[in-house]
């Protein structure tokens, strides 16, 4: 079970929380190698591993072999135990910079990047990509074969093309062609949010495991729960009542500590919103929490927001 890299979401506080529940591996937010090397504000924080978190992959994207290799050496020096190469991001800014899924249109150049990263580090290197650029060019199987020959240790396939972005449904059956083309582990990704979708994705793709992204938003235990249901690992203790309040408060506090109060408060809003979605928090209280600038108010309001007035009184 892997936690997908999600921009602005899978930062150190969230990865740490997901890891505490028992995820197999968590992946950092995508880091642009060029920005990382120039020390652009915010990029080093994305790669921050945190003491004692051994199951973290650091994901890199880039367009030149030299920058990718140097960035890989640097994150290995920071303690990364696995480096993941992004060749699947569909965002216009990334694709326009000839990175991410744009590399599916030039497999020779994609392989030069892979070779440079593998040659620069001693830790395992993995790859995340999509089925192809569009429906007329499903070439992920060819990329997977070439990547395996260069030394890629594992490949994650999002079951959409770049031109689909996140529209429609992920085609898990199409991932089977990639699985059958290589001997390394293949992980299915896309629209996997719970045990039922994970089970279907595995059956249709023949993949060795699954990667969960948006399904973990507001539910940091879901990866461990899926693993327990499908593979018989230890089931997580899903927090309820005051345990849930304490978990959310701890996550909020970790974000304040990591980013500083002002930025941390803003970054936390999306996570608090997801927690309150599941709790069906009253709209007026939800709005007051998500617009609050005083962390003390947020801490004080969380019990009512997550448990409701009656349960808090009880």
């Amino acid at each position: 079970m892997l936690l997908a890299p999600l921009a602005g979401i899978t930062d150190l506080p969230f990865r740490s929380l997901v890891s505490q529940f028992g995820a197999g591996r968590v992946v950092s937010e995508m880091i642009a190698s060029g920005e990382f090397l120039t020390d652009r504000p915010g990029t080093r924080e994305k790669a921050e591993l945190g003491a004692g978190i051994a199951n973290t992959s650091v994901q890199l994207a880039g367009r030149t072999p030299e920058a990718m290799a140097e960035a890989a050496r640097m994150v290995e020096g920071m303690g990364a135990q696995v480096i993941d190469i992004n060749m699947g991001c569909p965002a216009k800014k990334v694709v326009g910079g000839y990175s991410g899924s744009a590399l599916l249109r030039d497999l020779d150049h994609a392989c030069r990047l892979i070779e440079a990263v593998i040659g620069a580090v001693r830790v395992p290197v993995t790859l995340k990509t999509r089925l192809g650029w569009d429906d007329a060019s499903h070439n992920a199987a060819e990329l997977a074969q070439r990547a395996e020959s260069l030394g890629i240790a594992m490949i994650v396939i999002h079951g959409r093309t770049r031109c689909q972005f996140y529209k429609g449904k992920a085609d898990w059956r199409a991932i089977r062609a990639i699985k059958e083309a290589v001997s390394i582990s293949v992980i299915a990704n896309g629209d996997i949010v719970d045990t039922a979708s994970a089970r279907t994705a595995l059956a249709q793709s023949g993949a060795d495991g699954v990667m969960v992204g948006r399904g973990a938003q507001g539910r940091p235990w879901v990866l461990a729960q899926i693993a327990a249901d499908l593979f018989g690992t230890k089931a997580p203790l899903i927090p309820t009542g005051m345990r849930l309040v304490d978990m959310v408060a701890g996550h909020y506090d970790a974000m304040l500590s990591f980013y500083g109060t002002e930025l941390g408060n803003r970054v936390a809003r999306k996570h608090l919103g997801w927690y309150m979605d599941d709790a069906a928090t009253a709209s007026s209280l939800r709005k007051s929490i998500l617009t609050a600038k005083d962390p003390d108010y947020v801490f004080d309001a969380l019990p009512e927001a997550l448990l409701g007035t009656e349960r808090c009184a009880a």
Side-chain angles (χ1 to χ4, degrees):
M1 290 301 308
L2 291 84
L3 175 68
L6 298 171
I9 298 169
T10 56
D11 54 15
L12 176 61
F14 188 63
R15 296 198 307 268
S16 300
L17 183 57
V18 171
S19 294
Q20 289 169 23
F21 281 100
R25 182 165 296 281
V26 297
V27 185
S28 75
E29 300 169 81
M30 184 188 74
I31 300 165
S33 56
E35 294 178 357
F36 184 79
L37 294 176
T38 57
D39 204 16
R40 180 173 175 176
T43 54
R44 297 294 171 92
E45 288 84 350
K46 289 180 180 180
E48 179 65 45
L49 301 181
I53 303 177
N55 66 333
T56 298
S57 296
V58 175
Q59 189 181 79
L60 298 175
R63 61 181 297 174
T64 69
E66 297 79 13
M68 286 288 283
E70 182 60 24
R73 280 190 286 267
M74 291 182 69
V75 296
E76 181 185 35
M78 293 169 63
Q81 296 189 6
V82 177
I83 293 170
D84 187 59
I85 301 174
N86 183 302
M87 293 188 177
C89 180
K92 291 182 180 179
K93 179 181 178 181
V94 175
V95 170
Y98 207 57
S99 300
S101 57
L103 292 161
L104 287 163
R105 305 181 79 177
D106 187 347
L107 297 192
D108 289 341
H109 188 58
C111 289
R112 285 193 287 271
L113 297 180
I114 292 169
E115 187 174 25
V117 172
I118 290 174
V121 298
R122 294 181 296 276
V123 298
V125 179
T126 61
L127 175 66
K128 187 174 190 293
T129 189
R130 289 183 168 231
L131 297 173
W133 177 258
D134 56 27
D135 287 335
S137 57
H138 279 213
N139 58 355
E142 179 185 350
L143 175 60
Q145 288 178 322
R146 295 177 67 174
E148 180 181 30
S149 70
L150 293 170
I152 282 289
M154 181 186 77
I155 187 166
V156 178
I157 302 292
H158 183 110
R160 289 182 174 88
T161 64
R162 185 273 170 179
C163 289
Q164 283 182 271
F165 284 84
Y166 296 99
K167 297 177 182 178
K169 295 183 66 177
D171 187 353
W172 299 323
R173 287 187 174 88
I175 297 174
R176 184 172 289 274
I178 295 94
K179 172 60 184 172
E180 293 175 349
V182 296
S183 59
I184 56 176
S185 294
V186 173
I187 306 298
N189 176 231
D191 296 345
I192 300 169
V193 298
D194 54 21
T195 297
S197 54
R199 182 179 285 113
T200 303
L202 288 171
Q204 292 182 0
S205 67
D208 300 287
V210 297
M211 173 176 276
V212 177
R214 287 170 287 178
Q217 294 172 177
R219 302 186 300 157
W221 55 81
V222 72
L223 281 83
Q225 184 63 59
I226 293 171
D229 292 340
L230 297 186
F231 306 117
T233 57
K234 183 179 179 181
L237 176 61
I238 299 175
T240 58
M242 284 307 297
R243 281 197 179 95
L244 176 62
V245 174
D246 290 343
M247 184 206 78
V248 174
H251 186 191
Y252 179 53
D253 187 56
M255 285 185 280
L256 297 176
S257 298
F258 185 66
Y259 291 105
T261 299
E262 183 178 352
L263 178 57
N265 198 44
R266 295 201 303 270
V267 172
R269 287 170 182 163
K270 61 174 76 72
H271 292 279
L272 294 174
W274 292 321
Y275 291 131
M276 288 189 287
D277 285 344
D278 280 352
T281 305
S283 59
S284 58
L285 179 56
R286 174 192 175 91
K287 181 178 180 180
S288 68
I289 289 175
L290 296 184
T291 56
K293 296 182 179 180
D294 181 4
D296 288 336
Y297 170 79
V298 176
F299 284 119
D300 290 342
L302 282 177
E304 182 179 350
L306 300 175
L307 304 181
T309 305
E310 294 182 2
R311 283 180 289 176
C312 284

